[in-house]
Amino acid sequence: MWTTLGEISKKIDPIVRGWFQYYGRFYKSEMYTSLRNIERYLIRWVRTKYKKLRDHGRLRGSSQFLGKVRKRSPNIFYHWTLGLGSKD
Protein backbone atom coordinates (compact mmCIF):
# COMPACT_ATOMS: atom_id res chain seq x y z
CA MET A 1 0.00 0.00 0.00
CA TRP A 2 1.38 3.38 -1.03
CA THR A 3 1.74 6.30 1.31
CA THR A 4 -0.06 9.42 0.10
CA LEU A 5 1.27 12.98 0.04
CA GLY A 6 -1.24 13.81 2.79
CA GLU A 7 0.17 11.09 5.03
CA ILE A 8 3.72 12.24 4.36
CA SER A 9 2.65 15.78 5.18
CA LYS A 10 1.10 14.71 8.49
CA LYS A 11 4.39 13.08 9.47
CA ILE A 12 6.84 15.82 8.51
CA ASP A 13 4.87 19.06 8.94
CA PRO A 14 5.03 19.14 12.77
CA ILE A 15 8.80 18.68 12.54
CA VAL A 16 9.22 21.41 9.90
CA ARG A 17 7.00 23.77 11.91
CA GLY A 18 9.14 23.17 14.96
CA TRP A 19 12.33 23.82 13.01
CA PHE A 20 10.91 27.01 11.60
CA GLN A 21 9.71 28.24 15.00
CA TYR A 22 13.06 27.45 16.61
CA TYR A 23 15.57 28.31 13.88
CA GLY A 24 13.49 30.57 11.65
CA ARG A 25 13.83 33.68 13.72
CA PHE A 26 17.63 33.83 13.82
CA TYR A 27 19.03 31.11 11.54
CA LYS A 28 16.58 30.97 8.65
CA SER A 29 19.35 30.37 6.11
CA GLU A 30 20.42 27.25 8.00
CA MET A 31 17.03 25.67 7.39
CA TYR A 32 17.21 25.86 3.61
CA THR A 33 19.48 22.83 3.31
CA SER A 34 17.09 20.68 5.31
CA LEU A 35 14.07 21.94 3.39
CA ARG A 36 15.80 21.24 0.06
CA ASN A 37 16.46 17.71 1.29
CA ILE A 38 12.77 17.28 2.11
CA GLU A 39 11.95 18.43 -1.40
CA ARG A 40 14.44 15.91 -2.85
CA TYR A 41 12.83 13.11 -0.86
CA LEU A 42 9.40 14.15 -2.16
CA ILE A 43 10.74 14.06 -5.72
CA ARG A 44 12.20 10.61 -5.07
CA TRP A 45 8.83 9.46 -3.70
CA VAL A 46 7.05 10.73 -6.82
CA ARG A 47 9.55 8.99 -9.10
CA THR A 48 9.09 5.74 -7.20
CA LYS A 49 5.31 5.90 -7.13
CA TYR A 50 4.68 6.99 -10.73
CA LYS A 51 6.58 4.98 -13.32
CA LYS A 52 5.90 7.47 -16.11
CA LEU A 53 7.79 10.13 -14.13
CA ARG A 54 10.96 8.05 -13.91
CA ASP A 55 13.10 9.77 -16.45
CA HIS A 56 16.43 8.11 -15.76
CA GLY A 57 18.34 10.61 -13.70
CA ARG A 58 16.56 13.82 -14.68
CA LEU A 59 14.21 15.30 -12.11
CA ARG A 60 12.19 17.55 -14.42
CA GLY A 61 9.02 15.44 -14.74
CA SER A 62 8.67 14.64 -11.06
CA SER A 63 9.49 18.21 -10.09
CA GLN A 64 6.81 19.49 -12.48
CA PHE A 65 4.35 17.03 -10.95
CA LEU A 66 5.05 18.40 -7.47
CA GLY A 67 4.74 21.93 -8.83
CA LYS A 68 1.25 21.12 -10.13
CA VAL A 69 0.29 19.58 -6.79
CA ARG A 70 1.58 22.72 -5.08
CA LYS A 71 -0.58 24.95 -7.29
CA ARG A 72 -3.65 22.81 -6.56
CA SER A 73 -3.01 22.42 -2.82
CA PRO A 74 -0.46 25.00 -1.66
CA ASN A 75 -1.06 24.29 2.03
CA ILE A 76 -0.41 20.55 1.99
CA PHE A 77 3.20 20.99 3.13
CA TYR A 78 4.22 23.66 5.61
CA HIS A 79 7.43 24.55 3.77
CA TRP A 80 5.33 25.27 0.67
CA THR A 81 3.35 27.86 2.65
CA LEU A 82 6.68 29.54 3.42
CA GLY A 83 7.40 29.84 -0.30
CA LEU A 84 9.94 27.03 -0.38
CA GLY A 85 9.90 23.92 -2.53
CA SER A 86 8.76 22.98 -6.04
CA LYS A 87 7.61 25.92 -8.10
CA ASP A 88 7.44 24.34 -11.58
Side-chain angles (χ1 to χ4, degrees), residues 8-21 78:
I8 294 170
S9 174
K10 286 179 185 177
K11 289 180 183 179
I12 67 169
D13 273 2
I15 297 166
V16 174
R17 284 178 194 274
W19 287 346
F20 191 75
Q21 290 172 355
Y78 183 69

Side-chain angles (χ1 to χ4, degrees), residues 38-49:
I38 291 171
E39 201 66 20
R40 284 188 199 120
Y41 282 111
L42 288 174
I43 289 170
R44 186 184 307 169
W45 176 85
V46 167
R47 291 179 70 200
T48 302
K49 182 169 180 165

Side-chain angles (χ1 to χ4, degrees), residues 5-6 13 21 28-31 35 38 40 42 44 54-55 60-61 64 66-67 70 72 78 83 87-88:
L5 282 174
D13 273 2
Q21 290 172 355
K28 196 178 290 189
S29 62
E30 294 296 321
M31 293 179 22
L35 296 176
I38 291 171
R40 284 188 199 120
L42 288 174
R44 186 184 307 169
R54 294 180 196 165
D55 46 3
R60 192 76 181 143
Q64 285 178 341
L66 281 177
R70 181 180 180 171
R72 239 186 359 251
Y78 183 69
K87 294 183 182 178
D88 289 337

